[in-house]
C-alpha cells in the first residue's frame, strides 16, 4: 500500500465502501495502526495552530484569548517563521489564527514560507470576516503564491444580524461576514483547492434562531461546524492546576447548559436531514457528540494527541501542547528549533501530567477522531 494513503486515509474511501464490513474494519484498522505508530514516533507535531497575531477589531465576550489581545509583544516575524518552518521534520497541517489573521498584510508570505520550507500542503485560516476586500485580496495572493492541496477559510458566524453583532461586540459585523462569504464563494468557483466553512459558537441567541439561521445560509451551500463555549469553569477537567493556562472565556450563566445543548443537537440533526444541502457532516456531528459526552460525564471517550500530534504556537513565540495547558517553552529562547522543544525535559514531564485530563476543545477532539477506527468506519 502506498505511504501516501497513510497521511491521506480518506483517499481510500472508494475502496473501503466496496468491501464487506469485516474487510472494511480490517482495512481501517491496518491503516490506522500504522498512522498511530507514526504519530507516536513524531519528533515534531503534525497539526499546528499558529497565532500569527493577537490584534483584533472585535471584542467578543466568549473569546478565550481576550486577555492576550492587542498587547505590545512583538509578533513572530517572517524570518522567525522561516526558521521555525525549517525545524519541522514532518510537513504539518496548519491552522492560522489570532486575533484576526488577515490583519497581517503579509499573511500570503507566511503561507508561502510554510509551503516552501516545511512542505505544508494544508492550511486553514480562521477569520471574523470583518474586512471583505482585504480578505479576498489576501486569499487571492495565497492561492497564487503557494502550491497547496487545500486552503480552507473558517468564517465565524454566531447568529443572525442582531445576535451576531451583539455577540461579536461590533455593529455591522454580520453584514461584513456575509459580504466576505459571498466574495469567497466566487473565488471557490474557480479554485478546486479552496474551501469555506462556517463556524459557530453555540449561544442562547443562536439556540433560539437556529431554524432561521440554517435557512438563511442554505443558499450558500457551505459546511457548518458548531462548538460549545469553553468557559473558565466548564471546559477542562483533570488537568493539574499548576499546568492550567487560564485561556478561557469568563464564566457566564447565560451560556447554554447541557440540556439546552442536547436539544440543539437534536434540532440541528433534524434540520440537516430535511435540508437539500447537508451542511452538518457526519464527522462534525460525531465531534459534537464527543463534546457533549465530555461535558456530561467528564470522561475521555478517545485518547488525546495533544503533545504528540497537536501543538499550539502563540503570537509571542511560546509553544504549548494545547490551549488548555501552560507552554512547554519559547521558540525565541531555543533558536526556533521546535524539535528541541518537543523533546525537552519540560515536554516529557508535561506529557506525563496530562494523561487523564478531559476537555471540550474541538481541535483536539477532531485529531483524536482522526486516529480512531470506529470514527473512521462510521464517518469516513
Amino acid at each position: 500500500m502506498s505511504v501516501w494513503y497513510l497521511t491521506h486515509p480518506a483517499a481510500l474511501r472508494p475502496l473501503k465502501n466496496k468491501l464487506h464490513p469485516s474487510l472494511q474494519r480490517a482495512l481501517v484498522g491496518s491503516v490506522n495502526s500504522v498512522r498511530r505508530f507514526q504519530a507516536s514516533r513524531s519528533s515534531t507535531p503534525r497539526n499546528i495552530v499558529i497565532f500569527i497575531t493577537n490584534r483584533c477589531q472585535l471584542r467578543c465576550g466568549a473569546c478565550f484569548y481576550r486577555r492576550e489581545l492587542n498587547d505590545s509583544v512583538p509578533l513572530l516575524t517572517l524570518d522567525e517563521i522561516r526558521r521555525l518552518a525549517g525545524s519541522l521534520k514532518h510537513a504539518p497541517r496548519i491552522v492560522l489564527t489570532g486575533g484576526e489573521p488577515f490583519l497581517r498584510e503579509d499573511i500570503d508570505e507566511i503561507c508561502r514560507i510554510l509551503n516552501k520550507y516545511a512542505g505544508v500542503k494544508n492550511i486553514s485560516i480562521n477569520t471574523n470576516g470583518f474586512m471583505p476586500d482585504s480578505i479576498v485580496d489576501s486569499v487571492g495572493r495565497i492561492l497564487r503564491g503557494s502550491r497547496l492541496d487545500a486552503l480552507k477559510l473558517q468564517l465565524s458566524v454566531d447568529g443572525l444580524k442582531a445576535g451576531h453583532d451583539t455577540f461579536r461586540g461590533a455593529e455591522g459585523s454580520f453584514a461584513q461576514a456575509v459580504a466576505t462569504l459571498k466574495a469567497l464563494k466566487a473565488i471557490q468557483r474557480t479554485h478546486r483547492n479552496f474551501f469555506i466553512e462556517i463556524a459557530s459558537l453555540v449561544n442562547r441567541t443562536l439556540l433560539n434562531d437556529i431554524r432561521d439561521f440554517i435557512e438563511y445560509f442554505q443558499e450558500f451551500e457551505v459546511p457548518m461546524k458548531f462548538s460549545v463555549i469553553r468557559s473558565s469553569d466548564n471546559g477542562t477537567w483533570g488537568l493539574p492546576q499548576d499546568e492550567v493556562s487560564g485561556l478561557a472565556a469568563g464564566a457566564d450563566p447565560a451560556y447554554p447548559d447541557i440540556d439546552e445543548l442536547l436539544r440543539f443537537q437534536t434540532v440541528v440533526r433534524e434540520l440537516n436531514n430535511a435540508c437539500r444541502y447537508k451542511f452538518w457532516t457526519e464527522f462534525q456531528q460525531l465531534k459534537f457528540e464527543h463534546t457533549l459526552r465530555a461535558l456530561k460525564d467528564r470522561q475521555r471517550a478517545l485518547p488525546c494527541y495533544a503533545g504528540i500530534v497537536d501543538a499550539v504556537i502563540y503570537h509571542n513565540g511560546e509553544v504549548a501542547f494545547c490551549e488548555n495547558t501552560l507552554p512547554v517553552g519559547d521558540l525565541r529562547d531555543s533558536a526556533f528549533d521546535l524539535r528541541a522543544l518537543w523533546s525537552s525535559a519540560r515536554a516529557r514531564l508535561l506529557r506525563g501530567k496530562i494523561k487523564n485530563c478531559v476537555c471540550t476543545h474541538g481541535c483536539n477532539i477532531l485529531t483524536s477522531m482522526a486516529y480512531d477506527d470506529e470514527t473512521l468506519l462510521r464517518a469516513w
Side-chain angles (χ1 to χ4, degrees):
M1 182 181 295
S2 170
V3 173
W4 186 84
Y5 287 109
L6 298 176
T7 53
H8 299 78
L12 283 171
R13 187 184 296 116
L15 172 60
K16 187 209 75 169
N17 291 341
K18 295 178 181 179
L19 298 176
H20 185 275
S22 62
L23 293 177
Q24 290 183 11
R25 184 170 295 277
L27 174 65
V28 170
S30 297
V31 171
N32 235 11
S33 63
V34 177
R35 293 177 66 239
R36 287 190 291 266
F37 176 77
Q38 290 178 331
S40 69
R41 297 299 182 93
S42 299
S43 58
T44 54
R46 295 172 182 266
N47 296 332
I48 307 178
V49 177
I50 306 178
F51 287 68
I52 60 172
T53 184
N54 69 330
R55 292 185 295 134
C56 191
Q57 326 94 313
L58 306 186
R59 295 295 179 270
C60 309
C63 177
F64 72 90
Y65 209 54
R66 68 198 184 284
R67 290 193 296 268
E68 314 300 322
L69 295 178
N70 303 309
D71 66 20
S72 58
V73 176
L75 303 177
L76 295 173
T77 67
L78 292 179
D79 181 64
E80 288 174 332
I81 293 172
R82 186 178 294 109
R83 292 164 64 191
L84 164 65
S87 77
L88 299 176
K89 182 176 180 181
H90 316 288
R93 294 175 181 269
I94 296 290
V95 176
L96 300 182
T97 191
E100 169 51 47
F102 287 101
L103 284 173
R104 283 200 64 153
E105 296 180 358
D106 58 358
I107 189 171
D108 60 313
E109 187 64 14
I110 292 172
C111 293
R112 190 192 68 82
I113 288 170
L114 293 168
N115 179 228
K116 179 178 180 180
Y117 294 97
V120 171
K121 294 294 186 181
N122 292 273
I123 296 178
S124 297
I125 307 176
N126 301 334
T127 180
N128 58 35
F130 200 66
M131 309 179 299
D133 293 341
S134 178
I135 292 170
V136 168
D137 178 66
S138 295
V139 167
R141 286 187 282 115
I142 294 169
L143 290 168
R144 291 190 298 271
S146 301
R147 296 181 178 181
L148 300 174
D149 292 339
L151 173 65
K152 179 190 291 184
L153 254 67
Q154 179 176 289
L155 179 65
S156 296
V157 187
D158 300 306
L160 295 173
K161 183 182 185 305
H164 179 84
D165 286 2
T166 300
F167 196 74
R168 291 278 158 178
E171 184 69 26
S173 56
F174 178 79
Q176 294 290 76
V178 172
T180 297
L181 177 57
K182 290 178 178 178
L184 294 177
K185 287 293 292 184
I187 295 176
Q188 190 178 42
R189 285 192 285 270
T190 57
H191 292 80
R192 297 180 62 183
N193 64 334
F194 180 59
F195 305 91
I196 314 163
E197 66 181 7
I198 290 174
S200 304
L201 288 174
V202 183
N203 58 85
R204 285 230 168 92
T205 301
L206 182 62
L207 280 170
N208 295 330
D209 295 342
I210 188 60
R211 294 182 185 277
D212 292 336
F213 182 84
I214 297 302
E215 182 179 357
Y216 182 90
F217 286 103
Q218 261 293 291
E219 66 170 290
F220 295 102
E221 297 189 348
V222 174
M224 294 183 177
K225 57 189 292 187
F226 301 98
S227 300
V228 302
I229 298 170
R230 289 180 287 155
S231 62
S232 55
D233 65 343
N234 194 22
T236 306
W237 305 273
L239 183 64
Q241 284 301 305
D242 62 344
E243 296 293 355
V244 175
S245 69
L247 294 178
D252 189 332
Y255 296 156
D257 59 30
I258 184 64
D259 291 330
E260 291 172 308
L261 291 169
L262 286 166
R263 288 195 296 271
F264 175 86
Q265 178 188 38
T266 299
V267 171
V268 176
R269 274 184 171 160
E270 291 173 352
L271 290 169
N272 189 60
N273 292 336
C275 284
R276 176 185 54 80
Y277 177 75
K278 307 304 179 186
F279 57 88
W280 206 18
T281 66
E282 185 76 9
F283 208 72
Q284 284 295 329
Q285 291 183 49
L286 272 173
K287 184 207 77 172
F288 204 77
E289 281 184 22
H290 287 306
T291 302
L292 297 190
R293 190 173 299 130
L295 274 171
K296 185 178 179 180
D297 301 333
R298 301 189 178 184
Q299 293 181 349
R300 271 189 197 173
L302 301 171
C304 182
Y305 288 84
I308 302 170
V309 173
D310 293 338
V312 178
I313 299 174
Y314 293 111
H315 71 280
N316 58 4
E318 290 183 329
V319 177
F321 287 167
C322 68
E323 292 160 2
N324 299 318
T325 60
L326 288 174
V328 296
D330 191 322
L331 287 169
R332 286 175 169 148
D333 294 334
S334 59
F336 281 83
D337 186 351
L338 184 55
R339 193 182 309 187
L341 276 182
W342 210 240
S343 61
S344 65
R346 161 67 180 154
R348 292 194 298 272
L349 173 66
L350 185 56
R351 287 189 186 99
K353 297 175 74 173
I354 64 173
K355 288 182 177 180
N356 298 311
C357 57
V358 183
C359 78
T360 60
H361 187 19
C363 292
N364 299 120
I365 291 174
L366 285 171
T367 297
S368 297
M369 290 168 58
Y371 286 91
D372 176 59
D373 293 359
E374 295 302 321
T375 297
L376 296 186
L377 281 166
R378 174 175 164 183
W380 169 29

